[in-house]
Amino acid sequence: MQRTNFAEMACSIARTLDVIGEPWSPLILRDVWAGVRRFDQLQADLGISRKVLTERLAHLVGHGVLERRPYDRRPRHEYHLTAKGAELVDLLMVMAGWGDRWLAGEAGPAVLYRHHACGEISAVELRCAHCGAPMHAGDVDLLPGPGAAERDPG
């Protein structure tokens, strides 16, 4: 089945989905961030087919989210997050926070986050980059940006 291409839409959410919108991609990024970096390890942890994992890894490398690094003389590689990929993990942490709140059930979250700076277990929160106040959907107005699509006035 042909996947819809969102890369050309004048929407940052759509463009991000073009990179990580396929369901396996965020899980691959999660695993690489957690230290699962070799193909066989990723396949075993995710239970994903070799074909799909190969395609997803090539896609993420092609978009500059992951990089391949050789780890022995044979042509074998590990996958590492690039700076671009590490920023996507921030998005995954926000997604995990939503899942912890609404889907974790009585057992609670599967993962806790210890903040390096203070050593405390914490939740991930969105904050305004200007004033530091919490920032949620009801706290903002959407305004057209410089990259907004031109709209036909007629």
Side-chain angles (χ1 to χ4, degrees):
M1 180 188 300
Q2 185 69 17
R3 212 178 126 222
T4 301
N5 182 347
F6 296 112
E8 299 303 318
M9 287 186 178
C11 171
S12 293
I13 295 170
R15 291 175 182 162
T16 302
L17 285 173
D18 193 65
V19 177
I20 64 161
E22 189 278 331
W24 288 112
S25 295
L27 300 177
I28 292 167
L29 293 174
R30 174 205 65 192
D31 273 13
V32 171
W33 175 53
V36 181
R37 295 192 173 93
R38 296 181 180 178
F39 187 94
D40 291 338
Q41 295 170 329
L42 288 163
Q43 184 189 22
D45 189 63
L46 296 170
I48 186 174
S49 76
R50 295 182 72 79
K51 178 183 184 294
V52 172
L53 181 56
T54 299
E55 290 170 356
R56 290 292 87 214
L57 288 169
H59 179 80
L60 293 168
V61 168
H63 280 280
V65 173
L66 292 178
E67 67 180 9
R68 291 174 52 176
R69 295 181 192 166
Y71 70 86
D72 69 13
R73 291 182 185 172
R74 294 181 288 180
R76 292 189 177 195
H77 297 87
E78 292 183 330
Y79 294 87
H80 293 264
L81 293 168
T82 63
K84 192 175 180 180
E87 282 193 36
L88 277 173
V89 171
D90 295 346
L91 171 66
L92 299 181
M93 290 172 57
V94 172
M95 288 174 62
W98 183 89
D100 291 348
R101 178 180 173 129
W102 297 102
L103 305 172
E106 289 184 30
V111 174
L112 299 175
Y113 300 96
R114 179 181 299 124
H115 188 225
H116 289 172
C118 69
E120 295 295 325
I121 302 297
S122 183
V124 177
E125 293 184 2
L126 292 174
R127 299 216 166 256
C128 174
H130 182 71
C131 72
M135 193 165 138
H136 300 284
D139 302 326
V140 299
D141 293 321
L142 300 179
L143 307 172
E150 294 286 329
R151 303 211 186 253
D152 184 4

